[in-house]
Amino acid sequence: MYSIGTLSARTGVKVPTIRYYEEIGLMPAAGRSSGNQRRYDGRGLDRLHFISHARGLGLSLEAIRHLLELSDKGRDCADAHQIAARHLSDIRARIARLQKLEAELERLSHSCDHAPGAPCGLIEALGDHGQCLGDH
């Protein structure tokens, strides 16, 4: 059995976050010791590792909830793959948007010659969206 502090140390998840996960139902309610301390078994540790890893991959709490439900029910993994595919598609869209932002910011930063006392072209460009090549 693990205390919440031990669970935190073993997973890297902060104690308030573990309590929050329990509150919203991602973690099952922990058993209690005679001193009323939370006690988690190996399944709780494994579940928290799963949640932590999924959060590290950027999955939403709702997606994690769905994945846990699938796991708890021993369901076919097709639904899990759909969740992962949607998330991967979202990540790729964000990467594409960030690459556009990177290119635009790089272009705007070159609009300034850094001359002492001269107006800053970058600041002027940031103040005038019309100088941008596209939406962002």
Side-chain angles (χ1 to χ4, degrees), residues 16-61:
T17 304
I18 297 170
R19 287 187 188 122
Y20 175 69
Y21 290 161
E22 194 174 310
E23 181 182 313
I24 64 171
L26 287 181
M27 289 288 293
R32 298 287 180 149
S33 70
S34 60
N36 203 29
Q37 291 182 325
R38 286 176 169 88
R39 293 288 179 208
Y40 299 88
D41 59 14
R43 288 188 342 234
L45 177 65
D46 292 343
R47 190 172 184 99
L48 189 56
H49 272 298
F50 179 95
I51 294 167
S52 177
H53 188 205
R55 290 296 288 156
L57 290 169
L59 287 158
S60 69
L61 292 177

Side-chain angles (χ1 to χ4, degrees), residues 65-79:
R65 180 184 310 283
H66 194 174
L67 289 166
L68 287 168
E69 288 169 359
L70 291 172
S71 176
D72 290 344
K73 294 176 183 175
R75 300 222 8 224
D76 180 30
C77 68
D79 290 340

Side-chain angles (χ1 to χ4, degrees), residues 71-90:
S71 176
D72 290 344
K73 294 176 183 175
R75 300 222 8 224
D76 180 30
C77 68
D79 290 340
H81 282 272
Q82 287 178 348
I83 291 169
R86 274 194 307 269
H87 185 58
L88 183 57
S89 177
D90 290 345

